[in-house]
Amino acid sequence: MIIAGAGSGKTRVITYRVAHLIRNGVDSFNILVLTFTNKAAREMRERINHLVGPEAKNIWMGTFHSVFAKILRVEADKLGYPSNFTIYDTDDSKSLLRAILKEMSLDDKLYNANFVLNRISAAKNNLVGWHEYQNNDQIQADDRSSGREHLGKIYETYAQRCYRAGAMDFDDLLFKTNELLKNFPDVLNKYQHKFKFLMVDEYQDTNFSQYLIVKKLAAVNENICVVGDDAQSIYAFRGANIQNILNFEKDYPDLKIFKLEQNYRSTQNIVNVANSIIANNKEQLKKNVFSEKEAGDKIKVMRAFSDNEEGKMVAEAIMFQRTTHGLKWHDFAILYRTNAQSRSMEEALRKLGVPYKIYGGLSFYQRKEIKDLIAYFRLTFNPNDEEALKRVINYPRRGIGDTTVDRIIVSADQNNITPFEVIINPSQYLDGRTSASVGNFSTMIQSFQVITKTLTAYEAALHIAQHSGLLKDLYADKSIEGLNRYENIQELLNGIKEFSEREDIEEKGLDIFMQDVALLTNDDSDKNKDADTVSLMTIHSSKGLEFSQVHVVGLEENLFPSQMSLNSRSDLEEERRLFYVATTRAENKLTISYATSRFKFGTLINCEPSRFLDEIDAKYLELDFSAKPASGGSSFFDDEREAWSRKTDTFSKPKPAVVKTTSILAKAHVPSPGFAPSDTSNLQVGMEVEHERFGFGKVISLEGNKPDVKATIFFKEIGQKQLLLKFAKLSIVSK
């Protein structure tokens, strides 16, 4: 087991270990390397290829889902699936569940498709099939107590419909692999002897299903090497079990442990802050992470009086750092706990003209026009794919309405056949008016099935795009959105053409391209990663990435740590690991910020600084309440700075002081009794005013013409602010 601290070069270690095995006579076909992203697998393969040459192509290397999908396609007939089974994405699964809920006449609010899918996913990841689900007394009792006693029947129907459609969802790729290895000992024996050396990256992120597959495959040879960092286990919400890495020695008593403790990424101060954070977790594998880089800047802690002001401060800080140090926009990242926090950041960046990109938004392959064309591809290779059929049977419009589609599905259920078998013989199941349109559609799909056998992936894709009418329909839309959609289809076709011309793969059919697309992870689907933009993303999305300068925003109680995590120690420790991941994304400069008030569901609430700030050793921190770093700083918050200095006077003593941040932060202003905005049309320099949040202040200057007059006011509590009078809601205290 290799315990790899953040920035310690674990990818290099995996790469060299595999190269070492090959150089020492291990057959590359007998090596299995499992990762969590295609990007990681691709980078490793390229590095190994550089070290040992073409042998790297023979290694079984990829994500858990892609490797086991490959095995399932070979062994699919044993489970009753076709080798060309479709892989349903989340949208496909939700669409099918919504159809099932409608057929069962169930309340879609009580049985929300998201909730039901998550419930089924959790069951599969714990290897609970629908039979076990329905026969488990505890599960049934839980469902009845929540008023959802039909969940077991929905799970059964969902599983049967996927099977009938020749489809597996993402969870099935692991669930069915476990089923295969459990029920077919000859298959298990085959792969146990094939994969003589196993390596698993990011082992702390494995769930029960993945853990069991790895354990079974390694049982014969026990040549297993896992790499991970318990301090970066942050995916419990999707089933990851940190106990897999904490208890690894119990599974393999002869285990040898190696620790990679030097961080090559971050400055000493950043590493020290990260260490002081994670030291508060009780459940961990102890290691001493260190850096030999320069000490670097202290970690700046910025306070704002609102989420909008926090965005403004972060945007101005980025602008100042870029200008002062000659950096690129892509050197900066803003990390937040929840997606909703991006709004104030986006607004502030836009106002300053800072280019940015939000990661984790709509990916290229999730766009409607892309999913439409891919649905045609899916239906061509697997005509039993019910979700693909429903998506495109009337797009572009061909006179087949929802009523006809419902009749097709009902006829298939009643006759225990697939919907495609219904549309092949439309006159037998449908009336004459619609049967002709349905018949023409089925003939078109059958013609696609014929031509794909003789054409390259690109030629087949172009033929389907043209003859389905999809390309013509998009070309006819001359709006900006229509042009973008048409260009997206062209981009997809370009990608297929590149795939057709690749020399590093042997099979280049459109069906193989489809498999690759279905197994893309989030990091693989972005086409513009090299654009010079500031990166905005959740901390979960940032894992594995690094940036020169990082802003971690929203360090407030009930936000980070989240309110949901305060019920148990294990949940709180996962939040702390999440903060550890956030801080260790930074190479050279780390800034942390929080707001003392924030809008939540339309209501302004007061916020308390995060407990995590109290856990950081104060000698590594610099408190900065300057709202205008771009102007070179100012004298705001002198009282708070003095208080900070008093707190940090003890640094010279043997025991380092930990600053209690909450004790030195000014609370949000409480308006005076009877506070009401005044008429400010005749406001003059020198007048004293009160703002409901910024407190009492004095007008320093006025500029602009009515009604767009701007007032510069020095507030006693927060310093100088510039406000537009028509929106400021000021109360004049004295003239």
Side-chain angles (χ1 to χ4, degrees), residues 58-100:
N58 303 328
I59 302 166
W60 280 60
M61 179 184 289
T63 65
F64 279 87
H65 292 90
S66 65
V67 167
F68 297 130
K70 186 176 177 181
I71 290 175
L72 285 170
R73 292 201 185 279
V74 174
E75 313 291 348
D77 60 308
K78 294 179 176 62
L79 299 173
Y81 281 83
S83 61
N84 63 342
F85 61 82
T86 297
I87 300 173
Y88 277 177
D89 65 13
T90 303
D91 287 346
D92 296 320
S93 296
K94 289 179 185 176
S95 175
L96 176 54
L97 283 170
R98 281 191 286 267
I100 292 169

Side-chain angles (χ1 to χ4, degrees), residues 22 108 131 263 328 335 460 506 518 590 625-626 644 661 696 709 716:
I22 294 173
D108 60 1
H131 292 95
N263 182 314
K328 300 287 188 182
L335 309 182
E506 294 180 9
L590 172 66
F625 288 157
S626 171
W644 179 266
T661 317
F696 295 96
V709 177
K716 295 176 182 177

Side-chain angles (χ1 to χ4, degrees), residues 709-724:
V709 177
K710 290 181 182 178
T712 300
I713 303 171
F714 187 87
F715 291 99
K716 295 176 182 177
E717 293 181 359
I718 69 162
Q720 191 168 298
K721 299 282 287 184
Q722 191 175 63
L723 304 173
L724 199 60

